[in-house]
Amino acid sequence: MSDKPYGVDPPARPVLRKSLGVVDSVAIAASSTAATTSIGIGLGVTAAVVGLHLPAIMLLAFLPVLGIAGAYSRLNRVEPNAGNGYVWVGRSLTPWLGFMVGWVTIVATVAFLAYTTAVTGSALIQLAGDAGLHRVGGLALDPGSTAQTTAVGIVVLTAVTLTAVTGVRTAARLQAGLLVFEYVVLLGFCGYGIVTGPHPFSLSWFDPFAIPSASALAQGMLLSVFCYWGFEAAFSVNEEVRDPRDASRAGITTLVTMLGLFLLGSVAFQRVLSEPELVGHGAEGLAFFGDRLASQPLAALPLVALMFSAVASLQAGVIPTARAMFAMSRDRTLGPVWSRVSPRYGTPAAGTLLIGALATAVAALALVIPRLADMIMATVNAVGIVVALSYALTALAAAVRFRSLLREDWRQGVRAVVLPALSAAVLLSLGGYLGWSFYSSADHFEVSADNGWFLLTTPLVMIASGFVAAAWARWVRRSPYFRTGEGTDADAPQLLATPH
């Protein structure tokens, strides 16, 4: 099996500079997953759905995601490619689904960048308030205002995009420094909260059968999958790591670390905050948690950690998205601008700048939703569905590609075929059930975070736009990616000769 991109001869293939090790890849993946942001914001959003069962839903969601991570890792061993799911699904299933996976991942990440831009701005405005700055030029600062938070966040997005252009290793080092601070603060405050929290610990927190309804379980699962989303950023830089196996190690290491942090955070939050407090503070949940445990200035540390996490995840979101579009451009499914490599920095500089510009534009469009909390809920639900679809298709690609292992080595077959297929089935079932729940929960459309038709329309538009873009690439660009025989390779016999 060749890992040559479809229709691109080796001399014409743009090459990214190999400069990363496993620690750098972990920093990129962990920053993309953004545990501090997920804990500070995602826990409150998820608690609004599942109540005081955050540890249960985090554990439950981890199981299919672990199966997905195994699929990514095994595919990466035989074909490291910056396009990852886009290439793997295109070869093992069909180029149409492969393109759609690449497209929806890009669109979802741009939406994520837009919402994280507002989160970053909110954290900065909250910090300004803690420092005594409540008005600027007669304008009252409001950390819940989408307009204000977006304006401040766009400034930060511009800065981190420029940093990402100058070199992925520079960005990884910056993210590693931010992560150390975040995790020290998280471990300190969450550990203290678990020990001193006024609400008694309950084993029912870990009981998924106590979640109010099947709909709540499905939505809570997808919200939690969204929290884990980002570990695959380690595989987006697999052409820039010195050893491709480092990408696999980084992805699995990041995922297991996230599980530990999410369980720690969810137990700590439920020990310190009541359910109404946890649900009611949403986007400002981490700041409120800090205020309950300490007085200023120590109480501001969780908010600083949230800001660092948001800044790092902005940069970490730009980096893999630019690499995905680089891989698609290399196959001529996207325009040539995305595969231009800077001779000075060895990065897809033009594409990185364009991603930042697109995220800025989407962030500005989000101003039609006036409250930050509504914008977060709408974005997370939409992204959760398309991420589940992308993960599921990549896992199915692994199951198809490695299916011969079921005959050769049943133990490897279970790990390489059965577990990814089961994980894909779980995520597809959840996405389908949640989509039906959104459809049946409303009888009209309006731009509101509690309108089911709006919540369903957003991911459907993302998916439909992928097939439109694929048709353009197939018949207008005439990309060789879609040629029969070049886009499929069902078995990977090399794996059988390699001990894993």
Side-chain angles (χ1 to χ4, degrees), residues 272-295:
V272 173
L273 306 178
S274 66
E275 185 174 348
E277 290 173 332
L278 184 56
V279 172
H281 286 83
E284 293 85 32
L286 191 59
F288 184 73
F289 177 75
D291 286 335
R292 290 292 299 270
L293 291 176
S295 56

Side-chain angles (χ1 to χ4, degrees), residues 67 395-396 398-400 402-403 405-406 410-425:
L396 289 176
V400 170
F402 302 123
R403 65 183 184 270
L405 285 174
L406 288 171
W410 71 269
R411 292 182 181 85
Q412 290 289 340
V414 168
R415 293 169 58 188
V417 181
V418 177
L419 292 180
L422 288 175
S423 298

Side-chain angles (χ1 to χ4, degrees), residues 273-323:
L273 306 178
S274 66
E275 185 174 348
E277 290 173 332
L278 184 56
V279 172
H281 286 83
E284 293 85 32
L286 191 59
F288 184 73
F289 177 75
D291 286 335
R292 290 292 299 270
L293 291 176
S295 56
Q296 297 294 350
L298 286 178
L301 287 177
L303 190 55
V304 175
L306 176 63
M307 181 191 69
F308 283 179
S309 175
V311 169
S313 64
L314 279 176
Q315 189 179 69
V318 169
I319 289 171
T321 308
R323 270 68 185 169

Side-chain angles (χ1 to χ4, degrees), residues 35 37-61 115 205 211-213 215-228 262 265-266 269-270 275 277-283 285 373 376-377 380-381 384:
T37 303
S38 295
I39 290 171
I41 296 173
L43 293 187
V45 172
T46 308
V49 176
V50 302
L52 295 179
H53 303 287
L54 292 174
I57 205 69
M58 287 296 175
L59 273 170
L60 208 56
Y115 119 78
W205 296 349
I211 293 173
S213 65
S215 177
L217 176 66
Q219 190 173 0
M221 280 283 285
L222 284 184
L223 289 171
S224 301
V225 167
F226 173 79
C227 289
Y228 288 110
F262 292 153
S266 58
F269 268 55
Q270 293 185 184
E275 185 174 348
E277 290 173 332
L278 184 56
V279 172
H281 286 83
I376 288 171
M377 177 61 84
V380 168
N381 275 298

Side-chain angles (χ1 to χ4, degrees), residues 6-301:
Y6 317 129
V8 179
D9 295 327
R13 179 175 176 168
V15 177
L16 298 171
R17 185 174 299 161
K18 292 185 180 295
S19 60
L20 301 177
V22 65
V23 175
D24 301 313
S25 299
V26 168
I28 291 170
S31 296
S32 184
T33 308
T36 308
T37 303
S38 295
I39 290 171
I41 296 173
L43 293 187
V45 172
T46 308
V49 176
V50 302
L52 295 179
H53 303 287
L54 292 174
I57 205 69
M58 287 296 175
L59 273 170
L60 208 56
F62 176 77
L63 297 177
V65 175
L66 183 61
I68 303 298
Y72 269 87
S73 181
R74 197 170 291 267
L75 286 164
N76 182 71
R77 292 174 192 170
V78 299
E79 189 177 18
N81 192 296
N84 49 73
Y86 152 78
V87 170
W88 302 331
V89 173
R91 291 201 179 193
S92 297
L93 300 180
T94 164
W96 287 88
L97 287 178
F99 183 93
M100 196 269 289
V101 165
W103 179 267
V104 299
T105 300
I106 290 166
V107 173
T109 305
V110 170
F112 167 77
L113 288 170
Y115 119 78
T116 307
T117 295
V119 170
T120 306
S122 178
L124 283 168
I125 292 173
Q126 288 180 69
L127 278 175
D130 289 345
L133 180 62
H134 300 287
R135 302 185 71 85
V136 173
L139 176 67
L141 297 179
D142 177 11
S145 164
T146 303
Q148 293 182 28
T149 56
T150 299
V152 174
I154 284 174
V155 175
V156 179
L157 175 62
T158 302
V160 299
T161 301
L162 293 175
T163 305
V165 166
T166 61
V168 68
R169 187 155 192 212
T170 302
R173 287 176 173 173
L174 170 63
Q175 290 165 0
L178 297 178
L179 283 172
V180 169
F181 177 85
E182 291 172 40
Y183 291 175
V184 167
V185 171
L186 270 182
L187 292 173
F189 272 78
C190 289
Y192 184 67
I194 288 174
V195 172
T196 64
H199 301 285
F201 175 84
S202 173
L203 285 176
S204 68
W205 296 349
F206 290 84
D207 182 6
F209 297 101
I211 293 173
S213 65
S215 177
L217 176 66
Q219 190 173 0
M221 280 283 285
L222 284 184
L223 289 171
S224 301
V225 167
F226 173 79
C227 289
Y228 288 110
W229 180 45
F231 78 88
E232 74 280 3
F235 300 98
S236 69
V237 293
N238 53 17
E239 293 184 38
E240 294 164 270
V241 294
R242 290 182 286 270
D243 182 348
R245 291 174 296 182
D246 286 346
S248 297
R249 297 185 187 111
I252 299 297
T253 299
T254 299
L255 189 58
V256 174
T257 302
M258 294 306 105
L259 172 64
L261 289 172
F262 292 153
L263 290 179
L264 179 73
S266 58
V267 172
F269 268 55
Q270 293 185 184
R271 284 275 286 137
V272 173
L273 306 178
S274 66
E275 185 174 348
E277 290 173 332
L278 184 56
V279 172
H281 286 83
E284 293 85 32
L286 191 59
F288 184 73
F289 177 75
D291 286 335
R292 290 292 299 270
L293 291 176
S295 56
Q296 297 294 350
L298 286 178
L301 287 177

